[in-house]
Amino acid sequence: FGRCFRRPRTRRGGRAVPFTVKVKQRNAARDAPDLQEDVEVMGVKDGVAVIAGSALGGGFLALPLVTAPLGILPSLVGLGMAWAFIAALCTVYAEVSAQTLTDKALEAVQSREDRPMLEQEGVSIVSVAQRRLGDSAAVVCSVAFLFQMLAVVTAQVAKSGELLESLMGLPYVGGCILPSIFLGLFTFEMPVKLVEQTNTILTALMVIGFALLVVNSCMTISFAELPELISNLPRENWKPLLPAAGTTTWALPIFFNLLCYGQSVPLVVERMGAQRSSKIRNTILLGSVIPLILGIIWVCVA
C-alpha cells in the first residue's frame, strides 16, 4: 500500500510515472502477444546452431599459434574466462532484447495501425541501444557493429575466393562475388524456417569436420611417443593473458573474438519469442559451450 504513495524512480519525459500506471503497463506487456505470433518460432536446436555457428570459424585452426606460448593450463583458463564473460554479457543482452521486443508488442497493442511497421522492424542492436541508451549511443553502437561485421564478412568472402580459385579454378573475383550473391538470395528469398534448418545442417557438418580433424591428428600419435610429447610441452606462461608493454600478442582479445556470438542474440530472441526467456537462456548457454569445448580439445591436441 505504501508503494502507491512512494516517489517512483522511473521517469518518462521528465514526469514521474504513478505506480498504478506502471503495474497496468507491466501486466499489459506480460499479456501482449508476440510480434512473431503468426510465424513458426525457432526451436532450441536451431537456436543452438545459430549461436554455435556464429562463433565457429576458420580462426579455430590458428588457435594453437596463440596458445603454444602460453601452455595448456593458461590457455584453458583464458578460454574459460572469455567464455564466462561473453555468456554473462549475452545473457543480459538477451534479457534486454526480450524487453525491447515486449515493449514493441505493447506498442502494437496500443496502436494497431503501427503494428505492421513494428513487426517489420523487429529487434536489433540499433533498437536496443536506441531505446535503452538514447540516440547518440545507438549511433555509436551501430557504427562499431557495422565495422565489426564488415571485417568479419570481408575475411570470409576473401577466403571463399581463395578456396574456389584453388579447388575449381574460378577467378578470385568471381569466387568472391558468386557465393555472396547466392547466399544473399537464399537468405532473403527462402522461407525463414528453411534458412534456419540449412544453418543447423551446415553447423553440424562443421562440427563433424572438426571432430574428424581431431581424430586424424590423434591417429598420427603412437602411445609410445606420449611420454616424450608430454615432457616437451611448453612451460606455463601467464604473462600473455595480461596486456604488457613489449609483448607481441595479447591472448585474451583473440579468445574473445573466437568465442564471440553476440551479433546473433537479437535474432534468436526475436525468432524464439520474448516470452520464452528460460529457453533463450538455455539456448545461448548450450550454443556457446560447443565452441568452448572444441577450442579446449584443439588446444590439448595441437
Side-chain angles (χ1 to χ4, degrees), residues 150-174:
L150 283 176
V152 172
V153 173
T154 300
Q156 294 174 345
V157 171
K159 194 61 180 179
S160 69
E162 293 179 3
L163 291 176
L164 291 179
E165 184 180 19
S166 60
L167 295 177
M168 304 178 61
L170 288 177
Y172 175 76
V173 176

Side-chain angles (χ1 to χ4, degrees), residues 17-129:
V17 181
F19 177 76
T20 54
V21 175
K22 291 198 299 181
V23 171
K24 292 180 180 180
Q25 291 177 345
R26 188 182 303 117
N27 294 336
R30 180 193 60 192
D31 299 332
D34 287 339
L35 293 179
Q36 299 292 330
E37 62 180 357
D38 298 330
V39 182
E40 186 178 1
V41 298
M42 176 188 289
V44 174
K45 178 181 64 176
D46 294 331
V48 169
V50 170
I51 296 296
S54 299
L56 292 174
F60 270 81
L61 299 179
L63 184 60
L65 296 177
V66 180
T67 58
L70 277 73
I72 292 182
L73 184 58
S75 301
L76 299 184
V77 171
L79 285 172
M81 291 172 55
W83 173 84
F85 179 82
I86 296 175
L89 185 66
C90 287
T91 301
V92 176
Y93 188 21
E95 294 290 341
V96 177
S97 300
Q99 185 59 48
T100 302
L101 198 61
T102 301
D103 292 344
K104 289 188 175 185
L106 178 59
E107 294 174 5
V109 172
Q110 296 174 345
S111 303
R112 289 291 181 177
E113 65 274 7
D114 295 334
R115 177 160 183 159
M117 180 186 67
L118 293 171
E119 289 180 342
Q120 186 177 7
E121 182 182 356
V123 63
S124 63
I125 186 173
V126 178
S127 59
V128 171

